[in-house]
Amino acid sequence: MESNKLIFNKLLALTICSTLIVDTQAQTRQKGFYKDLFMDSGMMLTSRVDLPSARLAGFTMESFISTPHSYTEKYSFTDADTIMQAQLIGGSAIDENGILLYPDGAPRFRVVYMNGGRAKSHGGTLGEQGRKNYRTFVANGGGYVGSCAGAFIASLGTKLPDKEAAPTDLYLGVWPGFTTGTGLEKSWTDVDIEPGSPLLRYYQFGHRMRIDSVRHNGGCYGNTTFRCPEGTEVLARYATPGGEPKRPIIGEPVIWAYKANEHTGRVVLCGSHPEDAIEGARLELTAAMLKYAMDGTGKPTIKGELKKGEPRRMTCYTHDNNPAYTRIGDKQYHHFSVQVPEGVDTLTITLASTEGTQRFDLYLFADSRQLAFKDEAEHSDLHLGIGKQLTLVRPKAGTLYVSVFCDTTVESRQTRYGTQYGGRLDVLNGVPYSIKVDY
């Protein structure tokens, strides 16, 4: 058997980003993300390779897939599972910030979906840095959807009716409330959509408010009577017991959501397993959860104000902990503002490379109305390379929005763990540049 060190070196040589890609032709709803969806099928979770609801919704998707296993057999993870997951989520020399995050800590995907399995065990395998990166992902605007174990691990911990609350550092706490286990195994329950639920914005579920036979296996409900975080929304409730659960579940939240503020991502959690469905209302239910999370990604932030004649050097790495001056990632936007005084005849915005930078393609945009994006900005320079210049004649006084977009990205190919990154791997740690305004 190969040693851990040999496996590690081989994986680093091949790159750390082993992910399964399911590409579609759909236009993403919000700009500035590498892909729509990342699916965590990692250690101690269901090794799911497909998510039909993502195809129904038209989302681009990648995932990490651990060694297949079942609950009736002993787990048989390999050294490669451990190394791959640690590098993908926690980061490595090739991708310091990990696959979920851009170099400045912004979410690289719009939403993460976490499968069912064993929540605390998966949290342990993620390690402290992996758990931190998940929390950063949501705090900085990425959405999160979790089913069963994916719902448990998103909470602060568990709370049973006859016991004290049990918070755990191995959970993520992206929903700062507590879950309660149903004690119901290998069964199905009916689910009632709440009147006025935002899930109804996306599908009508056969024009029925009750969805029957949603699979349930050791799941949970959101405990909304014990320290329920303000801003929690109940989207659907258990309608039938589905057998003999250890505690009453009818009327308890089976699907709930939470968004702390406009800059954080939306968390959508489900105590059951609608994600298995390949047709009908259960398929639509999972797609609606994903869409609601997608539509709740955080509001883009402005890095800072560009001052007349002062170059702003965006050259920091992740470990410098200075996101306002950190390099740009693949398919990411950096936004800036300029305060234009009255009477300016000509304003020039210059984008320049830094010494020793390899060839990357960065684009430059400006707009007086709103944040500047590629397909709608008033002014743009789309030449290849980094060096750019925009000249605005008699610009409107007030706030001018300026943005830089990185069009360079990685290549990918399928492997036993999913799809492996190749090509421009140097973009994963970010592209440095300098930007300046003169008038």
Side-chain angles (χ1 to χ4, degrees), residues 280-317:
R282 293 184 295 278
L283 174 65
E284 293 176 344
L285 183 62
T286 310
M289 292 163 53
L290 293 173
K291 287 186 175 184
Y292 191 45
M294 295 277 179
D295 288 343
T297 51
K299 182 180 179 181
T301 60
I302 294 175
K303 291 287 184 184
E305 183 180 334
L306 301 178
K307 303 293 185 179
K308 178 182 177 181
E310 299 180 9
R312 186 184 183 101
R313 293 177 59 81
M314 305 295 292
T315 57
C316 292
Y317 287 96

Side-chain angles (χ1 to χ4, degrees), residues 47 49 65-70 73-77 81 416:
S47 299
V49 300
I65 308 163
S66 65
T67 298
H69 59 271
S70 73
E73 300 175 357
K74 184 179 179 180
Y75 288 89
S76 56
F77 297 112
D81 286 300
R416 128 125 182 57

Side-chain angles (χ1 to χ4, degrees), residues 35-73:
K35 289 274 172 57
D36 293 324
L37 183 65
F38 180 84
M39 181 172 68
D40 190 341
S41 299
M43 298 173 68
M44 309 305 289
L45 297 179
T46 300
S47 299
R48 186 178 308 283
V49 300
D50 185 29
L51 193 62
S53 55
R55 285 199 303 281
L56 177 66
F59 295 142
T60 55
M61 187 178 87
E62 296 185 359
S63 68
F64 170 64
I65 308 163
S66 65
T67 298
H69 59 271
S70 73
Y71 296 118
T72 58
E73 300 175 357

Side-chain angles (χ1 to χ4, degrees), residues 224-279:
T224 55
T225 61
F226 179 78
R227 301 181 190 173
C228 182
E230 183 179 353
T232 299
E233 304 174 90
V234 177
L235 309 184
R237 299 181 186 271
Y238 290 102
T240 59
E244 297 182 1
K246 291 182 179 179
R247 51 197 57 90
I249 64 171
I250 295 178
E252 297 289 357
V254 59
I255 304 175
W256 66 102
Y258 171 78
K259 182 173 168 68
N261 58 61
E262 65 178 6
H263 294 293
T264 65
R266 177 175 288 130
V267 176
V268 183
L269 307 177
C270 179
S272 293
H273 288 284
E275 72 277 4
D276 290 334
I278 59 174
E279 62 179 358

